[in-house]
Amino acid sequence: MKKMAILFQKLLENADFPGDDVLHIYSPDVHHCQLACTQHQSCLFFTFLRPDWDKDDRKFYCFLKYTDSGVPSQVSERNGATSGFSMSKPSVCLSSIYQDVDFPGSDYRKLPSSSYDECQKVCTRDPGCRLFSFTTGSFPFAADRKTCFLKYSWSVPIPPSITTQMGLVSGFSQSLPKAKGTIKEECKEEILVNTEFPGNDFEQVPAASPQHCQILCSIHPRCTHFSFSQSKSWHHMSCFLKYKPDVSKDESVKKEEVYSGFPTRNCKPSNVWGSRFEDIDFLGADNGHVFVDNADLCEDSCTADRQCQFYTYVLPSYPNLTPELRNKCHLKQVMTLPRPAKVISAKGVISGFSLKSCKDDSSEELRVDVDFPGDDVLQIYSPDVYHCQLACTEHHSCLFFTFLRPDWDKDKRKFYCYLKHTTSGNPSRVTELKGVTSGFALSHQEYKIFSCLPSIYHDVDFPQSDYRNLPSSSYEECQEACTSDPDCRFFSFATETFSAVEYRKMCFLKYSWSVPVPPVITTKRGLVSGFSQSLKKAKETSREECKEDILANSDFPGNDFEQVPAGSPQHCQILCSIHPRCTHFSFSQSRTWYQMSCFLKHKQYFNKDESVRKEGIYSGLRIRNCKPLTVWGRRFEDVDFYGADSSQAFVDNADICEDKCTADPRCQFYTYVLPSYPDLTPELRNKCHLKRVMTLPRPAKVVSVRDVVSGFSLRSCRD
């Protein structure tokens, strides 16, 4: 018995369990095959044909198997095969990368990408993506090289067959709505009766009602419209998912007992997972059964069973003459792990899965319609809750947050992101509040996985922060232009139906600081400030040395577009050189006029002759096509980078303080208190303050605007 238990836990290399098959699927490796077996309603063991299988063309075949006894009928030696058993506590993290392997089919979006890591980050952050394939620089077809293909497989349970049958009631586990319901304003679920959209089908799935079909269309990222048949003479209880970018109602035709419509993605649909379907049979996929008195208890049994996803209950009125069928509650389950439609060997292709399932189980989940009132440290704008969570993670003191979603209707604060902190690390209060989502900062490891921002925001504008605009045929082209432009961090695109005709089909490239800018800089004797030396490596260029011509006691009056703190005239010049809109600058060291302030200025045709004399002011031009003296490597004597403290330590000198900042991946700059600090409080001396600010792309504002599409550069997915 002990030997059999050990056998059940081990994978058996070069072993086959011939026969006993219940299903064959494709898997990229044995771990995926084992997960599929674990999720399948009846699979107990499996055999996987590895990439080195050479008997025929069945590489990557995963055979799911079952016997009443729970053990294979036969065990035989077979090179190229690995066999094993389902798991009791599986990990659903699929982090492996598959070189020279393609997942053909299931594409819903493709975009240029520099590496498979970037492609995987995009997939992980894109809510629709579950798996991907990336074509490398050696892919045989040059036109498709360096392309990331995002792919979808069902994340919600789809009953394998749905039929009508008097005396039966079917429904879903009530654990599903929390995971699958959207969180926006109520939808106008217009469904066209006795109407079909002919053609453009890409998938046919069973559905229990027109509303169920609409939800499935809304979930699938490729679906633009659907048709559902209740006709007994034509694909009864079938949902046809369709794709055509510019579809309209005018393309419909009259067809009896067929219902059609469009997805409801930017609103809150009716809860189809909470619906009960009378005289409907979710046929097959049984994982167990119990006898209960009514359909309510059957649904409760399904909800309480973590493996049950949907059920069918046999009413006492069921017309079958066999009495033992009545009051039977059939608990059912299907696989929802990411499944490639096919797996093949392909040179120059790298494939893998979204890392969403690898998120640390101990991390706090997002809490929909929950507010953490009070404890605010900062309010910013975010286009969605994920951006808000990233901002909280980057902020030096934020531990949790509350985001006001687009369906917030109490006032005009949609898209507000409140960053929060308490000394305990927990919210002071937790209350229910419609239209908000709250959560906690990510761990460092989670941040590396989820720092990509690939989402596209329809009918959302990022006003301000423009530095360039250009004509563009689509938002995809606009995003590609933003990603290719080294200065662009986010964009807004006005569609062809935008209200202002002169701005239609225009792409607006926008900037926010990608380098750390201390929130306040002051002069203070006995302090030394500087930057992490990791910035020096990242920001130095490799061109010829610059002539850093800075005019002393000179001001360039007017033309300001931004005022930021700076530690020196050279620091101000570097900030001007980094900002794509800046043409010239003025920096004040005057104690009587904006001390330690850097004024960034823009004027298309500008020269030095426009300067005026002003004591304590330094001015100059940007230096973009040469190698500047690195301000990131400089140390600022008697200067305080005030605020933004992330942590602190006591060290013997400023060199050690700088080293500590450089070694800490969260530290961007520091201030060190010298032993000569004049304050009479000795415990302040030798203190090293490690500091950080947010450098993620941050729109100055986020507003709802019809016919505007906004998003971020995909370079955030490469870091």
Side-chain angles (χ1 to χ4, degrees), residues 100-222:
D100 295 326
V101 170
D102 188 18
F103 296 163
S106 306
D107 302 0
Y108 69 90
R109 183 183 173 197
K110 72 175 186 177
L111 59 160
S113 188
S114 63
S115 67
Y116 75 81
D117 306 87
E118 177 189 328
C119 185
Q120 187 173 49
K121 277 190 175 182
V122 172
C123 180
T124 299
R125 184 48 97 185
D126 189 305
C129 186
R130 305 203 74 206
L131 51 152
F132 69 90
S133 289
F134 168 75
T135 51
T136 69
S138 61
F139 186 64
F141 301 103
D144 288 328
R145 288 173 186 165
K146 297 279 187 171
T147 300
C148 175
F149 296 87
L150 304 186
K151 301 166 182 282
Y152 181 76
S153 72
W154 289 107
S155 57
V156 295
I158 308 286
S161 178
I162 298 179
T163 63
T164 52
Q165 178 68 59
M166 293 282 291
L168 300 182
V169 175
S170 296
F172 291 92
S173 165
Q174 293 308 287
S175 64
L176 292 175
K178 294 176 185 177
K180 307 304 172 190
T182 60
I183 54 176
K184 303 178 180 140
E185 61 190 17
E186 295 289 337
C187 295
K188 297 174 183 175
E189 296 174 338
E190 183 182 1
I191 293 177
L192 308 175
V193 179
N194 297 323
T195 301
E196 185 201 4
F197 286 133
N200 302 308
D201 303 358
F202 68 86
E203 189 165 352
Q204 176 184 344
V205 291
S209 69
Q211 291 76 17
H212 186 199
C213 184
Q214 186 174 48
I215 291 295
L216 296 178
C217 178
S218 304
I219 289 170
H220 199 296
R222 190 164 181 237

Side-chain angles (χ1 to χ4, degrees), residues 202-492:
F202 68 86
E203 189 165 352
Q204 176 184 344
V205 291
S209 69
Q211 291 76 17
H212 186 199
C213 184
Q214 186 174 48
I215 291 295
L216 296 178
C217 178
S218 304
I219 289 170
H220 199 296
R222 190 164 181 237
C223 187
T224 57
H225 55 303
F226 69 90
S227 291
F228 170 75
S229 172
Q230 275 187 337
S231 169
K232 290 186 179 289
S233 60
W234 188 77
H235 300 288
H236 186 50
M237 308 306 285
S238 287
C239 174
F240 295 89
L241 305 182
K242 300 166 181 282
Y243 173 78
K244 187 182 179 186
D246 301 313
V247 67
S248 73
K249 291 180 185 178
D250 297 338
E251 299 178 41
S252 63
V253 297
K254 186 171 178 63
K255 192 162 188 175
E256 292 296 319
E257 296 186 285
V258 176
Y259 302 79
S260 296
F262 300 93
T264 53
R265 290 202 178 102
N266 298 313
C267 52
K268 183 177 180 180
S270 60
N271 183 13
V272 76
W273 312 112
S275 300
R276 197 169 290 170
F277 302 97
E278 307 286 339
D279 298 327
I280 294 289
D281 185 10
F282 288 173
L283 187 65
D286 288 32
N287 192 31
H289 66 264
V290 292
F291 286 92
V292 294
D293 290 338
N294 54 55
D296 288 336
L297 293 175
C298 182
E299 185 175 278
D300 291 345
S301 297
C302 182
T303 302
D305 184 334
R306 66 182 182 86
Q307 291 188 315
C308 182
Q309 299 161 333
F310 50 97
Y311 64 90
T312 293
Y313 178 66
V314 185
L315 294 168
S317 60
Y318 183 60
N320 193 294
L321 297 177
T322 312
E324 59 266 26
L325 295 178
R326 294 167 184 158
N327 297 102
K328 196 172 187 179
C329 174
H330 297 266
L331 308 179
K332 299 165 182 279
Q333 176 192 16
V334 291
M335 293 179 285
T336 53
L337 86 161
R339 273 205 294 153
K342 197 170 185 181
V343 181
I344 59 172
S345 298
K347 287 288 184 185
V349 181
I350 300 173
S351 297
F353 296 92
S354 163
L355 296 177
K356 285 189 279 286
S357 60
C358 301
K359 192 171 181 179
D360 184 0
D361 291 337
S362 65
S363 67
E364 297 281 354
E365 293 298 321
L366 295 175
R367 302 186 183 183
V368 177
D369 294 331
V370 170
D371 183 25
F372 297 158
D375 308 323
D376 299 356
V377 293
L378 183 66
Q379 178 262 315
I380 65 167
Y381 288 93
S382 287
D384 63 17
V385 69
Y386 305 108
H387 183 273
C388 184
Q389 187 173 44
L390 285 176
C392 179
T393 305
E394 276 201 0
H395 190 272
H396 60 277
S397 65
C398 181
L399 296 175
F400 46 93
F401 63 90
T402 293
F403 173 68
L404 276 56
R405 303 188 310 257
D407 60 311
W408 170 262
D409 60 3
K410 307 289 186 297
D411 50 41
K412 295 181 179 180
R413 290 179 298 154
K414 293 178 181 181
F415 303 110
Y416 276 39
C417 170
Y418 291 93
L419 309 184
K420 300 167 181 282
H421 174 88
T422 57
T423 52
S424 69
N426 296 313
S428 300
R429 295 167 58 209
V430 178
T431 62
E432 290 187 5
L433 185 62
K434 293 288 184 183
V436 308
T437 298
S438 298
F440 292 80
L442 298 169
S443 69
H444 180 63
Q445 185 60 35
E446 288 172 336
Y447 179 80
K448 288 197 294 184
I449 294 173
F450 291 97
S451 59
C452 176
L453 294 165
S455 295
I456 294 295
Y457 307 98
H458 292 272
D459 296 328
V460 169
D461 186 21
F462 297 162
Q464 305 169 32
S465 307
D466 301 7
Y467 68 90
R468 182 183 168 207
N469 61 65
L470 63 157
S472 186
S473 63
S474 65
Y475 73 79
E476 292 95 343
E477 182 180 310
C478 184
Q479 185 175 50
E480 190 171 339
C482 180
T483 302
S484 300
D485 188 317
D487 294 320
C488 184
R489 305 206 75 203
F490 46 98
F491 68 90
S492 289

Side-chain angles (χ1 to χ4, degrees), residues 602-631:
H602 175 81
K603 186 178 180 184
Q604 190 169 2
Y605 302 106
F606 179 80
N607 62 62
K608 293 180 182 178
D609 297 339
E610 298 181 39
S611 65
V612 297
R613 182 170 177 78
K614 194 166 188 177
E615 291 296 321
I617 309 299
Y618 299 79
S619 298
L621 308 180
R622 67 183 184 185
I623 45 173
R624 288 213 178 108
N625 298 313
C626 53
K627 180 178 178 181
L629 297 173
T630 176
V631 75

Side-chain angles (χ1 to χ4, degrees), residues 81-96:
T82 298
S83 297
F85 295 81
S86 66
M87 297 179 286
S88 58
K89 292 183 178 179
S91 168
V92 294
C93 177
L94 295 165
S95 58
S96 294

